[in-house]
Amino acid sequence: MAMTSHHNTQNMAEISKYENGSTVFNGDNIIDKNKINKYPIVSDIGALTDQILRGDIADAFFSISTGVVPTPASELVTGNITKSGEIQGIKGPAYIDIEKDQINIVEPGNFLYGFNTPYTQAVIVEGGIDIINNKTNETIKHINANDITNDTLPGDMVSEETIKYWYNTSQVGSKYNIEFCIDGLNDNRSYITPTELKEKFPEAYNYSIKYPGGSPVILYKDNVNSTVVSSTYTYLGSHPQYNDANREYNARQFVTAWNGTVIPANTSGCGREGVYFSAVKEANAQSGMATHGVCPPARALRNAVLALGFSLPVGMDYGEDAVLFGYSPSTGIRVTNTLDYPIQINMWTEGAGTGMAIYADVVEYIPNNVTTTNSTETGTTI
């Protein structure tokens, strides 16, 4: 009976330590050996020999002691996976692609990016808040109103003060995003949880928590050059009727909001969340208030992207007053990247006062084997 035994096809999802689409790295062991089908040694003496030759003495001893050996890994995996189930020889964050009878490893391309997507949310209920997982709709825990603190709130994205203010000014049923996962990834892998993002992609995690929901986040890039494809500048100028000191503050805040913003190809993005501006009375604004001083840096940003053929950013105007009333200078403005590769917006200032210079560069991440002729440099003193 042992000699006539044959290996039945086993569903790989049963033995994989990771779900289909999960992100994995070099050195990860993806096979749960305890779940692999086992067969009598006499029906597959080669598998025992293979264990010994690989140096898996403990596994070989177990096989001899029990009289059974697991299905050889060579029948279960392909590509950069060793016979013991360990990933080797890959670069960057790969992902698991499970077919019915085989486990494959798919390596990333030049870029890996996705979008901030609500993961952990606070929901106002009677007497406090519930913390829920937006992906599974599970309630993680309940926090009484008096117990809302930085220690009881998960993640690093929001503070105790922010949640308490929201709680005291909102109604039962209102939701607030506590943590983002990265979903909608460009190679169609599964979403990456906040914990995975913080552990495996710390730079992307620190970027993610500064930007609002829906913002693109680049997790990985490789074999690319950073090329300045557009460069502009402007000056703050003087409008004493609007308080030049206040205008300088707002101009610097605009630069802070947009400096370092990354936008992949054929997507749009805004500036950082949590950057505040000083508003003054303005009769022409519907709200009666305006953040004067944001228009000079906005013109630098606008001119830099228009020079690349981008459409006029949402929330902007072609005139001297570049930011439209009613739009946040950081999260209300949206730039759409129509180039072939991701861009990064860099902004900075030099000097101070009304003569302060404001600069905007657009850097394109271009694969090493690609050349581009995009390059502009313009300036304005408006």
Side-chain angles (χ1 to χ4, degrees), residues 49-239:
T49 304
D50 191 49
Q51 286 180 328
I52 297 172
L53 293 177
R54 290 202 316 267
D56 295 337
I57 304 303
D59 290 346
F61 179 79
F62 178 83
S63 297
I64 294 171
S65 301
T66 59
V68 295
V69 289
T71 303
S74 58
E75 298 182 16
L76 307 176
V77 299
T78 61
N80 297 305
I81 309 174
T82 67
K83 292 182 178 181
S84 62
E86 184 178 289
I87 299 174
Q88 287 187 356
I90 67 168
K91 188 176 183 181
Y95 70 92
I96 298 286
D97 178 31
I98 301 177
E99 298 179 3
K100 185 175 182 180
D101 58 354
Q102 208 154 50
I103 301 176
N104 306 303
I105 299 297
V106 182
E107 297 187 57
N110 292 110
F111 306 100
L112 175 63
Y113 61 84
F115 301 86
N116 270 344
T117 304
Y119 184 76
T120 308
Q121 294 180 308
V123 180
I124 296 179
V125 296
E126 292 293 339
I129 60 175
D130 282 347
I131 305 298
I132 65 169
N133 183 318
N134 183 59
K135 283 292 187 180
T136 63
N137 206 30
E138 296 176 289
T139 299
I140 299 171
K141 64 177 179 179
H142 173 80
I143 304 175
N144 292 326
N146 294 332
D147 296 329
I148 299 175
T149 68
N150 288 328
D151 292 331
T152 57
L153 293 170
D156 306 311
M157 201 173 85
V158 296
S159 66
E160 168 187 339
E161 291 76 15
T162 299
I163 293 300
K164 283 183 174 179
Y165 177 81
W166 162 75
Y167 176 81
N168 291 323
T169 57
S170 303
Q171 298 178 339
V172 170
S174 297
K175 294 183 178 182
Y176 198 100
N177 293 327
I178 299 292
E179 293 179 296
F180 291 133
C181 66
I182 304 299
D183 204 359
L185 288 114
N186 61 310
D187 60 2
N188 297 316
R189 71 179 69 199
S190 298
Y191 67 86
I192 297 174
T193 68
T195 300
E196 292 172 327
L197 187 66
K198 189 173 185 179
E199 292 177 354
K200 302 295 186 179
F201 306 93
E203 185 176 345
Y205 174 81
N206 290 330
Y207 182 96
S208 168
I209 62 177
K210 296 175 183 176
Y211 285 79
S215 295
V217 179
I218 291 185
L219 286 74
Y220 171 82
K221 59 182 184 295
D222 183 55
N223 289 324
V224 298
N225 290 315
S226 301
T227 304
V228 177
V229 292
S230 182
S231 183
T232 64
Y233 62 90
T234 187
Y235 294 95
L236 180 63
S238 178
H239 292 278

Side-chain angles (χ1 to χ4, degrees), residues 15-18 28-32 81 85 87 96 103 105:
I15 66 169
S16 174
K17 292 181 179 179
Y18 298 86
D28 287 346
N29 194 299
I30 66 171
I31 302 296
D32 188 341
I81 309 174
I87 299 174
I96 298 286
I103 301 176
I105 299 297

Side-chain angles (χ1 to χ4, degrees), residues 168 184 225 268 312 347 352 366:
N168 291 323
N225 290 315
S268 63
L312 180 69
M347 298 192 71
I366 304 172

